[in-house]
Amino acid sequence: MAARRALKAVLVDLNGTLHIEDAAVPGAQEALKRLRGTSVMVRFVTNTTKESKQDLLERLRKLEFEISEDEIFTSLTAARSLVEQKQVRPMLLVDDRALPDFKGIQTNDPNAVVIGLAPEHFHYQVLNQAFRLLLDGAPLIAIHKARYYKRKDGLALGPGPFVTALEYATDTPATVVGKPETTFFLEALRSTGCSPEEAVMIGDGNTERQTRRKSALLPTSLARASRRPWITSCSTCCEPLWQRNREQLETRSGWVPHRGKIF
Amino acid sequence: MAAWAKRLAGVRGVLLDISGVLYDSGEGGGTPIDGSVEAVARLKRSQLKVRFCTNESQKSRGELVRLLRRLGFDISEDEVTAPAPAACQILKERGLRPHLLIHDGVRPEFDQIDTSNPNCVVMADAGDDFSYRNMNQAFQLLMELERPVLISLGKGRYYKETSGLMLDVGAYMKALEYACGIEAEVVGKPSPEFFRSALQAMGLEAHQAVMIGDDIVGDVGGAQQCGMRALQVRTGKFRPSDEHHPEVQADGYVDNLAEAVDLLLQHAHE
């Protein structure tokens, strides 16, 4: 008989689940309030390379969601977390708007490289600086490896190609920290003190679909050829959990996931 | 010493890499590596055939040779095998009109090439011209082509300048390959065609030639794959870990070109 584990933490995807752009998903505010009435810990997760937690918080509060800053976990948070764990001083090749999320992190005399979507930094001189650090043994942390994104004037190179360039030049792989990498989810859970078996992820299936389609598009998800082991095990052990607790969860929170998909 | 005699027996010609073997590029053109000017002179005076086999793609052959002669080297344009001319040959054969992702210094090599209405991208060591904007332009073009063709002059990871190590064309080639989901065609070392054309120009068979380079994979590995022997110098981009490369074992490791030439003149007999 399968061991019964209590559901202790819920990770909620932001874009597509709680809100779509600047509009709340109908019923989501109410659902969240009711979820709060339970004992589960909640974390709001999202991939972003240029919105700081403050920016997200403001947007969500405007939509009347009751959320505190330390409940938000972004790919930038994941990067910061890794930097703190490794106790390194990063060269930050990230959008200026992401800098607040690295406040308090030492960046003088860097011995690590953090790279996000930051076209203004992807010039030869800057990348060469990063390259020399990496060749000396500095770790390379990539927020994600998107191949390109859509701009008004057409497609534009994402961080992925430049991460690849540095990986090739130094013959060392980057640590990618954004969704749907395993690292991302484990880091998001770390602050709840819960294990993956005690948690469930509520998302709109965007990541799942894009994972299967090997899409290269931003803004919310990464392209991966195969599902990360964590997601699989979470969904296989949490599927039954979810089915069992679904009623409970639905009754308590009235939560109906956007598009009805859970993974 | 017997080991060297054995290793270098039958060598009748030498292929010399330029950057990292003859000189390091950089401020004011660059600095010759100690002993290299004299080494080249000695080789020229010997019975051995000499050819220069370079992946230099920031400068035209003319500019490169003028620079090296200023530094004291005995070298002329017709002794140099370089990737741009080889690429032009390919473009003409296949009716390709390139969008050029290059440094202005090498543009003269493409003067005879039709670059209107491009149907491919040719990339070289563009150095500072590897701006985000220029990379993006090349990327957008490739994405619009029904059959994207990306030709890269070399695929080196990095090279040495006097100020330090510099990202090379290979890194940017990988960037575009990843972005577009395509594979580039490499013209230059370590492509076998490139080495063979150098051998042909010397009128030698592979087993009669030895390559001297600073790139353990591009120069040494590439040459060995063609049936040549190859010596690794400890100048230029060389790093100590290169002596324990998991895949490539050079036929010999020497401090610099001067030492290589000493050994060649002692042990390579006709």
Side-chain angles (χ1 to χ4, degrees):
Chain A
M1 190 150 130
R4 292 185 162 238
R5 304 259 197 113
L7 180 66
K8 289 191 184 158
V10 174
L11 300 185
V12 182
D13 202 4
L14 282 179
N15 214 352
T17 304
L18 222 55
H19 69 99
I20 297 173
E21 304 295 325
D22 284 322
V25 167
Q29 290 111 330
E30 189 48 36
L32 179 57
K33 281 204 188 93
R34 292 166 78 169
L35 188 62
R36 295 238 188 256
T38 70
S39 59
V40 295
M41 298 195 67
V42 187
R43 289 288 178 272
F44 302 92
V45 298
T46 184
N47 262 355
T48 178
T49 54
K50 59 179 195 266
E51 279 184 291
S52 68
K53 282 204 241 190
Q54 271 304 312
D55 292 338
L56 288 169
L57 208 53
E58 263 175 51
R59 189 207 291 216
L60 293 167
R61 283 190 178 150
K62 273 199 199 128
L63 299 178
E64 293 172 29
F65 285 107
E66 287 290 311
I67 293 182
S68 67
E69 200 180 315
D70 54 6
E71 289 178 317
I72 298 181
F73 190 88
T74 73
S75 40
L76 291 171
T77 325
R80 186 201 173 102
S81 189
L82 196 59
V83 163
E84 283 169 339
Q85 273 174 67
K86 286 180 182 283
Q87 295 184 314
V88 287
R89 301 175 302 275
M91 176 187 187
L92 292 171
L93 301 184
V94 299
D95 194 288
D96 279 347
R97 286 167 288 179
L99 288 175
D101 278 357
F102 291 93
K103 199 166 150 205
I105 299 279
Q106 266 269 49
T107 54
N108 275 343
D109 184 28
N111 58 2
V113 177
V114 170
I115 178 165
L117 176 58
E120 70 274 21
H121 291 309
F122 295 157
H123 303 304
Y124 186 78
Q125 291 300 333
V126 173
L127 285 175
N128 206 46
Q129 251 185 296
F131 157 68
R132 288 180 183 182
L133 285 174
L134 298 172
L135 212 56
D136 273 339
L140 176 59
I141 298 169
I143 311 282
H144 60 74
K145 280 188 76 171
R147 287 157 63 196
Y148 50 83
Y149 68 106
K150 280 194 186 135
R151 268 191 335 200
K152 281 179 230 146
D153 65 332
L155 299 178
L157 292 167
F162 298 96
V163 172
T164 304
L166 292 171
E167 288 181 314
Y168 173 75
T170 58
D171 199 22
T172 349
T175 305
V176 186
V177 297
K179 207 157 47 95
E181 294 292 329
T182 308
T183 324
F184 180 82
F185 296 103
L186 291 177
E187 282 305 312
L189 279 181
R190 183 191 288 269
S191 64
T192 65
C194 303
S195 66
E197 293 80 16
E198 297 167 321
V200 74
M201 165 90 190
I202 302 178
D204 69 348
N206 209 8
T207 300
E208 191 191 17
R209 272 203 306 279
Q210 291 200 337
T211 294
R212 277 192 261 144
R213 255 188 6 221
K214 248 177 126 172
S215 155
L217 294 177
L218 284 180
T220 56
S221 304
L222 298 178
R224 281 292 133 193
S226 63
R227 300 174 74 166
R228 294 286 118 188
W230 188 92
I231 302 175
T232 313
S233 67
C234 180
S235 64
T236 48
C237 75
C238 290
E239 257 294 309
L241 191 64
W242 166 248
Q243 293 300 341
R244 258 196 326 274
N245 290 329
R246 185 194 180 108
E247 264 179 42
Q248 273 191 19
L249 210 53
E250 263 186 8
T251 324
R252 285 194 210 166
S253 72
W255 197 287
V256 178
H258 182 61
R259 292 180 208 164
K261 273 201 183 178
I262 298 273
F263 73 101
Chain B
M1 279 302 139
W4 279 111
K6 210 165 153 201
R7 274 186 261 174
L8 299 176
V11 167
R12 292 187 43 206
V14 182
L15 275 179
L16 297 179
D17 179 28
I18 292 183
S19 176
V21 173
L22 265 50
Y23 87 127
D24 286 327
S25 59
E27 275 294 311
T31 315
I33 288 167
D34 281 345
S36 287
V37 171
E38 181 56 26
V40 172
R42 290 174 68 203
L43 275 176
K44 292 283 190 92
R45 287 195 296 265
S46 77
Q47 306 278 18
L48 295 169
K49 296 197 186 197
V50 182
R51 190 154 184 91
F52 302 90
C53 186
T54 178
N55 266 5
E56 172 63 60
S57 65
Q58 252 203 49
K59 311 177 180 68
S60 63
R61 276 167 302 169
E63 196 190 324
L64 179 63
V65 163
R66 276 192 298 278
L67 159 62
L68 290 168
R69 290 184 72 84
R70 257 202 330 270
L71 296 178
F73 287 98
D74 176 4
I75 179 173
S76 59
E77 249 184 87
D78 56 1
E79 294 171 324
V80 176
T81 297
C88 289
Q89 181 70 10
I90 291 170
L91 293 171
K92 287 193 189 128
E93 279 166 13
R94 288 159 60 179
L96 291 170
R97 297 178 305 278
H99 168 85
L100 297 170
L101 177 55
I102 60 172
H103 187 84
D104 272 338
V106 77
R107 204 171 291 274
E109 296 276 22
F110 295 93
D111 275 346
Q112 303 300 317
I113 299 291
D114 179 7
T115 56
S116 67
N117 194 24
N119 57 9
C120 75
V121 169
V122 168
M123 64 186 300
D125 172 18
D128 276 328
D129 285 311
F130 276 131
S131 61
Y132 179 81
R133 193 162 159 268
N134 290 346
M135 279 290 282
N136 215 39
Q137 247 188 322
F139 161 69
Q140 285 177 338
L141 182 86
L142 287 167
M143 292 298 272
E144 279 160 24
L145 292 172
E146 212 177 288
R147 261 177 316 174
V149 172
L150 174 60
I151 294 173
S152 181
L153 304 194
K155 59 174 197 176
R157 291 154 62 200
Y158 52 83
Y159 59 89
K160 170 105 189 296
E161 267 202 358
T162 47
S163 67
L165 294 178
M166 313 291 287
L167 279 172
D168 200 357
V169 60
Y172 286 90
M173 176 195 85
K174 287 289 173 184
L176 287 175
E177 284 187 331
Y178 178 82
C180 305
I182 60 175
E183 209 177 300
E185 299 172 43
V186 177
V187 174
K189 298 177 285 186
S191 119
E193 291 80 28
F194 195 70
F195 283 114
R196 275 185 221 129
S197 75
L199 288 169
Q200 217 172 35
M202 273 200 297
L204 291 177
E205 306 271 316
H207 68 272
Q208 298 171 311
V210 67
M211 170 83 201
I212 303 179
D214 67 334
D215 187 323
I216 187 75
V217 172
D219 294 331
V220 175
Q224 288 178 334
Q225 299 250 336
C226 292
M228 286 186 260
R229 278 163 282 184
L231 302 178
Q232 167 77 41
V233 290
R234 296 187 182 102
T235 51
K237 72 175 83 165
F238 170 81
R239 303 174 89 226
S241 52
D242 294 341
E243 264 181 271
H244 312 287
H245 196 275
E247 277 140 31
V248 181
Q249 165 92 146
D251 291 284
Y253 300 85
V254 291
D255 283 344
N256 50 33
L257 180 62
E259 192 191 340
V261 171
D262 282 342
L263 291 163
L264 278 166
L265 296 182
Q266 273 183 59
H267 300 291
H269 302 294
E270 288 252 39

